[in-house]
Amino acid sequence: MDFFTAMDVSASAMSAERTRMNLISSNLANAHTTRTAEGGAYRRKDAVFTATPLAGGFRNALERAGGGVRKVAVSGIVEDPNPPRLQYDPKHPDADPQGFVGLPNVNVVEEMADMITATRAYEANVNAAQAAKNMALKTLELGR
Amino acid sequence: MLADKLFGSTLELLGKSIDLRARKHSMISGNLANAETPGYTPSTLDFEAELKHAVQTKKGKGNSTPPHPRHIPLKGQAAELEAVRGRVMEVPAGPAGRDGNGVELEAEMSRMMENQILYNASVQILAKKFEGLKTAIRDGR
Amino acid sequence: MPIQGITTGVGLEGAFAKTAAAPKSAPTGEGFGRLLGEMVDKVNGAQLDADKAIQGLMTGDSKGLHEVMIALEKSSISFQFLSQVRNKAVEAYQEIMRMPV
């Protein structure tokens, strides 16, 4: 029972990090997009992680037994509230009346750092899942 | 009673250790999963001191009340060992990051590796003990 | 005497050098019986040592995984050794009893 719980938790983390990677890729790809369907420049998107208790009908029993083990879930995708960067370029087709173009508020360096963090977290969770599998297989040796 | 004599307290200890370490792995997985969650403090399972205390209890002192009425109550050291549950406590970690997250990835990874090694060792030692018992029963052949 | 022959021939004293001081000229059954008794004690001691080492590892006292594994191997091997000695002795005894006089 316990190892499947652990693998579940690791799997939840892996999909959460993958979502984050998708958003980072989207941010990087649209770092210079000035035109979007919603109007205006592209706005940087970020994922919100929340620690959620393990699901299950017998919530109390599980929490007691699990001792506070929580998995992670992406509870939402928010847009960065920072205003777009303004750049003076009157010839640009998207320039506003003053001649400023609104560029996305994406900081490429920050996105790269986020990407490294997400990769590290993903690898760590892969390791945890492998360790759980390893331990479960080892337990089978008791009966060999 | 026969089982008590045949399977000594070392087997109980090994079984309990396996159980506790499996739970500890779940907690470490939870910590790793929430390594990027804002406001999360990592927790761990502390059971070494409890185990040591249970092991050093003289035989015949404890009497456990079994969780189920049809379970056979254990006596003595086995009872003490059975009662060890481990304490969930917060990791005495360093300062939390900018977003309130206190998980140190490297510390968690090293804890996980140590836990895994000790778990595997427990399983292997237990298997060896059972093997020894089987050899004795089979009369050395 | 055949039983004495076993004790001197197989070199059991070599395995337990310290107990070699026991008088080998003692009457027939006693030399081997005492040897067996000492072996049993030693095996028991090895088992208890292994148990203590395991407890140390589980409670986090000693991180010496190699010590535990070695102690475990020692106790296991000495136990199997004792079993085999006993088996061979019983076999030899039965062989002797089978001899027509």
Side-chain angles (χ1 to χ4, degrees):
Chain A
M1 174 268 283
D2 249 348
F3 286 120
F4 302 129
T5 310
M7 287 191 232
D8 229 359
V9 168
S10 296
S12 79
M14 286 194 263
S15 38
E17 295 296 340
R18 203 159 43 82
T19 307
R20 192 147 159 249
M21 273 305 294
N22 287 340
L23 289 177
I24 293 174
S25 302
S26 158
N27 290 342
L28 281 174
N30 290 297
H32 295 114
T33 304
T34 50
R35 215 180 285 187
T36 59
E38 303 90 49
Y42 176 84
R43 302 190 79 91
R44 181 175 169 272
K45 292 190 182 37
D46 203 4
V48 175
F49 286 179
T50 331
T52 53
L54 301 168
F58 313 106
R59 168 97 65 105
N60 286 334
L62 265 183
E63 285 213 332
R64 245 190 299 120
V69 173
R70 278 168 291 165
K71 62 181 181 183
V72 71
V74 176
S75 57
I77 297 177
V78 292
E79 287 191 348
D80 199 323
N82 288 334
R85 278 184 303 129
L86 294 172
Q87 199 176 22
Y88 186 71
D89 190 5
K91 293 199 205 62
H92 198 278
D94 286 323
D96 64 1
Q98 280 89 26
F100 284 103
V101 184
L103 287 177
N105 50 356
V106 172
N107 185 341
V108 174
V109 175
E110 225 177 86
E111 297 299 320
M112 295 298 288
D114 276 347
M115 188 168 74
I116 294 174
T117 318
T119 311
R120 241 174 32 127
Y122 190 90
E123 281 174 11
N125 282 290
V126 166
N127 254 330
Q130 275 177 345
K133 181 188 87 161
N134 190 291
M135 283 155 78
L137 285 178
K138 188 86 186 172
T139 316
L140 289 178
E141 280 183 26
L142 265 180
R144 193 147 52 97
Chain B
M1 201 222 348
L2 191 65
D4 212 14
K5 296 288 185 224
L6 187 58
F7 307 115
S9 71
T10 308
L11 289 185
E12 287 286 336
L13 172 67
L14 286 168
K16 197 72 193 168
S17 154
I18 289 176
D19 185 32
L20 289 169
R21 291 195 195 278
R23 277 176 55 206
K24 188 168 177 185
H25 183 78
S26 289
M27 309 222 57
I28 298 179
S29 283
N31 289 344
L32 283 177
N34 289 293
E36 300 290 321
T37 311
Y40 180 86
T41 36
S43 46
T44 185
L45 198 67
D46 186 46
F47 54 81
E48 256 106 10
E50 253 185 272
L51 262 187
K52 187 164 171 182
H53 175 78
V55 152
Q56 285 168 351
T57 306
K58 294 273 184 291
K59 286 195 175 41
K61 225 180 1 166
N63 251 321
S64 80
T65 44
H68 191 277
R70 302 231 356 232
H71 280 185
I72 302 167
L74 301 165
K75 288 201 197 41
Q77 204 174 53
E80 288 283 333
L81 273 174
E82 177 70 24
V84 170
R85 290 253 175 272
R87 235 175 1 118
V88 177
M89 50 177 264
E90 298 202 340
V91 170
R98 202 167 31 105
D99 54 357
N101 180 289
V103 174
E104 282 173 36
L105 212 58
E106 294 80 4
E108 294 299 321
M109 291 300 289
S110 84
R111 221 174 286 132
M112 180 175 81
M113 279 190 282
E114 178 192 339
N115 192 47
Q116 180 181 5
I117 288 175
L118 285 175
Y119 178 91
N120 287 353
S122 304
V123 167
Q124 200 152 343
I125 293 175
L126 191 62
K128 202 165 180 65
K129 284 239 162 248
F130 280 141
E131 202 50 49
L133 276 174
K134 281 191 228 169
T135 308
I137 290 173
R138 246 182 290 132
D139 213 18
R141 275 176 244 288
Chain C
M1 307 286 318
I3 294 186
Q4 288 281 25
I6 290 175
T7 57
T8 51
V10 185
L12 285 171
E13 307 98 270
F16 301 96
K18 288 195 191 73
T19 66
K24 292 190 202 69
S25 59
T28 311
E30 220 189 275
F32 185 67
R34 186 199 305 221
L35 191 59
L36 208 54
E38 278 162 358
M39 273 181 74
V40 168
D41 279 340
K42 279 217 162 33
V43 167
N44 195 32
Q47 297 266 0
L48 289 178
D49 275 345
D51 271 354
K52 249 200 278 285
I54 292 174
Q55 278 175 15
L57 184 69
M58 289 303 132
T59 58
D61 267 349
S62 74
K63 295 291 181 185
L65 193 57
H66 55 287
E67 288 162 7
V68 176
M69 297 318 268
I70 289 174
L72 216 56
E73 262 322 289
K74 268 197 204 166
S75 80
S76 157
I77 288 179
S78 56
F79 179 74
Q80 285 175 18
F81 184 47
L82 176 65
S83 294
Q84 286 304 319
V85 164
R86 188 209 71 138
N87 289 347
K88 293 285 186 252
V90 167
E91 246 180 73
Y93 172 76
Q94 284 171 348
E95 170 106 29
I96 288 168
M97 295 314 269
R98 249 183 306 202
M99 282 195 317
V101 177

